[in-house]
Amino acid sequence: MAAADYRAVLLTGRPRIGKTTVVRDLARRLSARRLAGFYTEEIRHGGLRVGFRAVTFACDQVTIAHVDFNQASRVGKYGVDVEAIDRLADETLGLQPGVDLYLIDEIGKMECLSQRFVGAVRRLFDASPWIVATVARAGPGLISEIRHFPGVILREVTPGNRDGLAGNISLWLEERLRGTDG
């Protein structure tokens, strides 16, 4: 498949390597475009990570996991609010007319506990809009399957490429999006 045929870029890499930073930088660079999706932030207390929140491109925030959540669904020490992820998927990952780019940070174990999230991501990839997403390095189900969707290119975020990756991806996307502008 030629580079022109790709519709989705998946960013992967070890935890804390800078995947979210690349997504946020990409969103900043493409701020004149209509974006949908979300990025995640760590919730820290006293220097320790205690949870995660999702921030939409409409500036809404929702806590999706926290050490203090007494949820049946858990990933490591975090209770995961699957209903919050369901709402996040419904509000940000539905096919919307006029959206230039879907940014999804991240397709990981916590998010994949939500069947609505999994379904929304599959529908997006099946519909082939422009997508940039971060994805866990390994995992079952959607995490594994998404890497083999048609039109997907996988990029490892490393200390050597992370500072230039958002610039490279934004240039590549702008070139392609100009061809779709009416």
Side-chain angles (χ1 to χ4, degrees):
M1 186 175 282
D5 296 331
Y6 292 108
R7 301 281 299 175
V9 177
L10 296 180
L11 303 172
T12 193
R14 64 180 168 78
R16 304 184 62 102
I17 194 67
K19 298 179 296 292
T20 297
T21 300
V22 172
V23 167
R24 292 179 71 176
D25 189 17
L26 186 60
R28 182 186 57 77
R29 290 169 184 270
L30 297 171
S31 62
R33 295 288 184 171
R34 184 159 177 232
L35 306 176
F38 63 93
Y39 62 89
T40 55
E41 294 181 326
E42 293 180 348
I43 300 170
R44 299 187 78 75
H45 182 73
L48 299 174
R49 184 173 65 194
V50 296
F52 298 92
R53 80 172 55 88
V55 181
T56 72
F57 294 106
C59 297
D60 296 323
Q61 297 183 16
V62 61
T63 300
I64 59 173
H66 200 279
V67 294
D68 292 338
F69 283 179
N70 189 17
Q71 308 291 106
S73 297
R74 301 195 71 78
V75 173
K77 65 183 180 180
Y78 304 102
V80 180
D81 187 343
V82 175
E83 289 179 4
I85 298 170
D86 286 347
R87 288 188 306 277
L88 180 68
D90 293 345
E91 294 169 9
T92 66
L93 300 180
L95 284 169
Q96 302 171 39
V99 168
D100 293 313
L101 175 66
Y102 290 85
L103 291 169
I104 307 168
D105 175 46
E106 103 176 68
I107 301 169
K109 291 177 186 175
M110 289 180 189
E111 296 80 6
C112 288
L113 291 171
S114 162
Q115 289 307 302
R116 291 198 340 229
F117 175 87
V118 170
V121 169
R122 283 186 176 133
R123 283 188 296 279
L124 279 177
F125 276 78
D126 284 341
S128 294
W130 295 102
I131 302 169
V132 175
T134 63
V135 64
R137 290 177 101 176
L142 183 64
I143 295 169
S144 174
E145 151 191 343
I146 203 78
R147 297 167 184 263
H148 304 291
F149 267 71
V152 168
I153 187 168
L154 188 65
R155 290 287 180 247
E156 180 93 12
V157 179
T158 68
N161 72 5
R162 69 178 168 218
D163 293 337
L165 207 48
N168 291 339
I169 293 170
S170 67
L171 290 172
W172 180 80
L173 280 167
E174 281 292 1
E175 184 177 294
R176 277 139 192 90
L177 288 169
R178 273 192 293 279
T180 62
D181 290 341

